[in-house]
Amino acid sequence: MAFLPPWTCVLLGCFSVSLAGASNFSDLYPPLWKKSASQFSDYRVKNGKYIIDPWVYPERMGMYKILVNKTARYFENILLDNEQNILWGLPLQNGWQYKTGRLADPRRRTDCGYDSDPLCVSVDSWWADMNYFLCALPFLAAVDSGIMGISSDQVMLLPPPKDQTKFCLNVSSCRSSFPEIMSKWNAFYQHLQYPSSTFEDLLKYLWAAHVATIDTVGKIFEDRLEYYSKAEANFGRNWCVAVDYLAASLFPTTLVRTHEFQEGLPPRMLVNGDRAPFISDFTEFQNTVLLLLSFLSQVDNFPGSFSQTIWETLMKTHFVRKQVLELSQIILEIFNPAFRGVPI
């Protein structure tokens, strides 16, 4: 097996386990999944258009639910089980953000996301704004591709209460404002419809679109990170770096894999004074993941560092990716014996 830097193996080790013997996949669904819209007719209609408010958590989650449901038939051709739909990673991330308070107003200048208005998604939240484009663009690109069963001009998203010009609201405005990203999402859906496409092929196109979205949108909302504690802001930046490595490894964003992956993410917002691996209300697994993300970001940002380039080069080989997963399973068991014997 090719030599791999130790931190890359540990990183993948934390993110590579499957859930064995899950008795009920619905237990893994994101919060309020069952109560969210499951078809376009669940949204209101005005002037022949479906009107969706992505600044209300169940309505944004409904967009993901429709997307997962509408693409199920294509994944059945590959794996005969929609639980293996690689679009699951998107709603599960949104659900984790909601559950951990990351969609709420970070400055608490409004009640958005708090007890009096718990389903509100704040436009001042960096997490919510980044997630908006990882919801709106793949959703509208799916509409544009024809797989959603409606025409491109039949959906309109409502704008946030401020900074409206930063957001696109329908297929035409998103194609105009973000043509390269929409093109990448469209390429994913195009290959999704090819009977000859393999699971790995689809992961390549999905991650290409995902990374392009984060890279572009991250520049637009960098200032939002100033609303957070230094610890949370650094975690947000570190998370973006980690996504590049996960993308290169073609991490399979299926329901089970993503659920297990998120077990290592912070269960609440980070505050000043939180320092992994010594955060008392975090699990050992969560402390370890947080520490590794910080270390990975430091290595990646070190002057003259070629860590990401090396990693991407190694991950181009199927054999190496497979070996990394097998090695990471061993490392994972060292960190958490509960995963011993769980298949990769």
Side-chain angles (χ1 to χ4, degrees):
M1 185 184 75
F3 173 77
L4 298 171
W7 55 263
T8 59
C9 300
V10 177
L11 176 69
L12 262 293
C14 292
F15 297 159
S16 65
V17 66
S18 296
L19 183 67
S23 58
N24 189 353
F25 280 122
S26 64
D27 293 340
L28 311 184
Y29 293 165
L32 302 182
W33 179 260
K34 293 182 180 180
K35 295 183 179 180
S36 299
S38 57
Q39 53 192 357
F40 283 105
S41 59
D42 292 333
Y43 292 107
R44 64 189 179 95
V45 179
K46 183 178 181 180
N47 297 326
K49 300 179 186 293
Y50 296 104
I51 307 299
I52 303 175
D53 188 352
W55 303 101
V56 176
Y57 172 75
E59 294 211 23
R60 185 181 292 197
M61 185 58 74
M63 296 167 66
Y64 286 127
K65 190 174 181 180
I66 293 172
L67 183 60
V68 170
N69 288 343
K70 289 289 188 179
T71 55
R73 64 186 184 274
Y74 299 108
F75 286 96
E76 288 172 357
N77 292 334
I78 300 172
L79 293 167
L80 303 177
D81 191 344
N82 197 39
E83 308 306 329
Q84 292 292 303
N85 189 327
I86 57 177
L87 288 167
W88 271 113
L90 298 175
L92 286 172
Q93 268 288 283
N94 187 40
W96 166 75
Q97 291 164 359
Y98 168 76
K99 185 177 181 180
T100 59
R102 287 178 165 83
L103 300 181
D105 182 351
R107 295 185 291 179
R108 292 181 175 266
R109 293 186 175 181
T110 68
D111 294 328
C112 187
Y114 297 101
D115 290 342
S116 62
D117 196 7
L119 300 181
C120 175
V121 177
S122 174
V123 69
D124 285 328
S125 164
W126 177 82
W127 294 97
D129 292 340
M130 296 290 284
N131 176 263
Y132 175 89
F133 288 93
L134 283 171
C135 177
L137 298 187
F139 179 83
L140 293 173
V143 172
D144 193 31
S145 72
I147 67 174
M148 302 289 258
I150 62 174
S151 63
S152 296
D153 61 353
Q154 280 187 273
V155 179
M156 175 65 70
L157 307 183
L158 294 181
K162 68 174 189 178
D163 294 336
Q164 291 92 342
T165 58
K166 293 184 177 181
F167 301 87
C168 59
L169 306 175
N170 53 33
V171 171
S172 61
S173 65
C174 287
R175 278 193 309 212
S176 175
S177 299
F178 304 96
E180 293 184 8
I181 303 176
M182 284 290 282
S183 178
K184 288 183 182 297
W185 281 111
N186 275 316
F188 166 72
Y189 294 119
Q190 183 180 18
H191 284 80
L192 184 61
Q193 298 175 73
Y194 291 164
S196 60
S197 292
T198 66
F199 188 65
E200 191 165 277
D201 289 336
L202 296 179
L203 283 170
K204 290 177 182 177
Y205 284 99
L206 175 76
W207 276 116
H210 191 121
V211 169
T213 304
I214 289 181
D215 287 348
T216 299
V217 177
K219 298 180 179 68
I220 300 174
F221 296 102
E222 175 69 22
D223 62 321
R224 296 282 204 264
L225 289 171
E226 298 175 3
Y227 302 161
Y228 296 91
S229 68
K230 183 178 180 180
E232 180 69 18
N234 285 338
F235 169 60
R237 295 186 184 96
N238 296 345
W239 173 238
C240 289
V241 172
V243 167
D244 287 334
Y245 287 83
L246 291 171
S249 68
L250 299 184
F251 177 81
T253 48
T254 59
L255 176 63
V256 168
R257 287 291 184 93
T258 305
H259 171 80
E260 287 301 323
F261 158 80
Q262 292 186 161
E263 290 294 300
L265 297 183
R268 60 164 173 79
M269 296 275 286
L270 297 176
V271 297
N272 290 329
D274 283 336
R275 186 174 180 180
F278 308 110
I279 306 176
S280 60
D281 59 335
F282 283 20
T283 66
E284 181 181 1
F285 188 37
Q286 290 162 349
N287 268 292
T288 300
V289 170
L290 201 59
L291 182 64
L292 288 169
L293 292 179
S294 177
F295 177 70
L296 177 62
S297 183
Q298 292 177 36
V299 171
D300 189 74
N301 291 324
F302 190 80
S305 173
F306 296 98
S307 60
Q308 186 173 332
T309 301
I310 295 172
W311 179 250
E312 290 174 350
T313 300
L314 289 170
M315 292 301 102
K316 289 180 180 179
T317 305
H318 174 78
F319 173 77
V320 176
R321 288 198 301 272
K322 180 180 179 181
Q323 293 299 305
V324 167
L325 288 176
E326 292 177 355
L327 178 59
S328 64
Q329 176 69 16
I330 298 173
I331 297 173
L332 176 64
E333 291 173 1
I334 295 174
F335 281 100
N336 194 336
F339 292 132
R340 185 166 293 132
V342 176
I344 298 175

